[in-house]
């Protein structure tokens, strides 16, 4: 098996069908499977998958176990040489995943890769671009919403000014679209550190990859529509703030200040 596409869903009945169909159109020449782990959806997400897409492996959790743990569930049963962690609100281009697999095959030192993520109008989605590893000050600024008053203060962390048409090694890429080499997964023993529930798990695994000598790359050779955070929009402000704080504490406890 060349590619295992792994998707974690939570109340995504409005997005999941388009995402699955885009995956089906993204691969013509390589073998693949699509594994979906549903994190306790209360809507018709699971029903839509089971009724319309019998080829999709759908694992149903009774409750929300968090993004890292659910992705780890999917990876545990996956057969691919590569794993693509793909959010349910993403749409890949026709044939693009074939292209990305070929590119990964030609670059064996790359452990993790992501691509050009666009919004629904076709513009670069700056909120989903690669980022540098965060400092404590970056996290404090985000938590207290300081960039609303000082818009340029996170320019370095957010890599504002990055050339989206240039292939380059970066600190971290977003977990919404993350291609991972199986060998890296086997070295780590997980896709994402299960100590996190949401937030920082993608930064953490990129840092783990670099610790093990793998490269983390951004390539603009293909693009993907990212409708950003459709599941996350369902959560209230205080829940998001608490999860962000908890994950930040775990991240800096693990990696140091």
């Amino acid at each position: 098996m060349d590619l295992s596409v792994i998707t974690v869903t939570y109340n995504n009945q409005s997005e999941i069908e388009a995402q699955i169909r885009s995956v089906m159109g993204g691969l013509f020449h390589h073998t693949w499977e699509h594994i979906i782990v549903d994190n306790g959806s209360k809507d018709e997400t699971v029903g839509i998958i089971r009724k319309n897409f019998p080829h999709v492996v759908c694992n149903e959790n009774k409750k929300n176990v968090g993004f890292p743990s659910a992705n780890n569930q999917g990876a545990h049963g996956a057969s691919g040489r590569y794993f693509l962690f793909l959010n349910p609100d993403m749409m890949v281009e026709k044939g693009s995943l074939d292209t990305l697999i070929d590119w990964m095959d030609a670059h064996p030192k790359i452990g993790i890769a992501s691509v050009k993520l666009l919004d629904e109008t076709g513009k670069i989605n700056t909120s989903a671009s690669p980022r540098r590893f965060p400092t404590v000050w970056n996290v404090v600024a985000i938590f207290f919403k300081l960039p609303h008053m000082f818009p340029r203060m996170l320019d370095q962390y957010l890599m504002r000014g990055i050339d989206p048409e240039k292939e380059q090694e970066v600190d971290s890429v977003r977990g919404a679209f993350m291609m991972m080499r199986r060998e890296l997964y086997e070295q780590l023993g997980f896709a994402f550190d299960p100590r996190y529930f949401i937030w920082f798990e993608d930064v953490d695994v990129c840092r783990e990859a670099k610790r093990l000598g793998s490269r983390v790359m951004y390539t603009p050779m293909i693009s993907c529509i990212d409708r950003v955070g459709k599941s996350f929009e369902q959560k209230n402000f205080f829940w998001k703030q608490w999860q962000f704080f908890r994950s930040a504490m775990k991240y800096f406890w693990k990696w140091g200040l």
Side-chain angles (χ1 to χ4, degrees), residues 12 87 89 226-234 240:
N12 292 113
N87 275 9
D89 50 12
D226 181 3
R227 293 177 285 175
V228 182
K230 296 297 184 182
S231 296
F232 211 52
E233 288 175 357
Q234 303 169 45
K240 294 175 187 177

Side-chain angles (χ1 to χ4, degrees), residues 245-257:
F245 175 77
R246 289 180 64 208
S247 292
M249 292 292 290
K250 291 175 182 178
Y251 176 84
F252 288 113
W253 181 264
K254 178 176 178 177
W255 295 104
L257 301 179

Side-chain angles (χ1 to χ4, degrees), residues 208-252:
E208 290 278 19
K210 288 179 176 287
R211 178 181 66 83
L212 293 170
S214 288
R215 301 177 73 192
V216 177
M217 292 291 294
Y218 164 83
T219 177
M221 66 187 306
I222 67 169
S223 58
C224 178
I225 301 297
D226 181 3
R227 293 177 285 175
V228 182
K230 296 297 184 182
S231 296
F232 211 52
E233 288 175 357
Q234 303 169 45
K235 297 296 186 179
N236 68 55
F237 171 81
F238 296 104
W239 184 91
K240 294 175 187 177
Q241 287 290 91
W242 172 238
Q243 295 301 330
F244 182 85
F245 175 77
R246 289 180 64 208
S247 292
M249 292 292 290
K250 291 175 182 178
Y251 176 84
F252 288 113

Side-chain angles (χ1 to χ4, degrees), residues 13-24:
Q13 65 179 15
S14 300
E15 300 86 35
I16 193 59
E17 185 165 356
Q19 190 253 39
I20 295 172
R21 293 194 187 281
S22 79
V23 169
M24 294 167 66

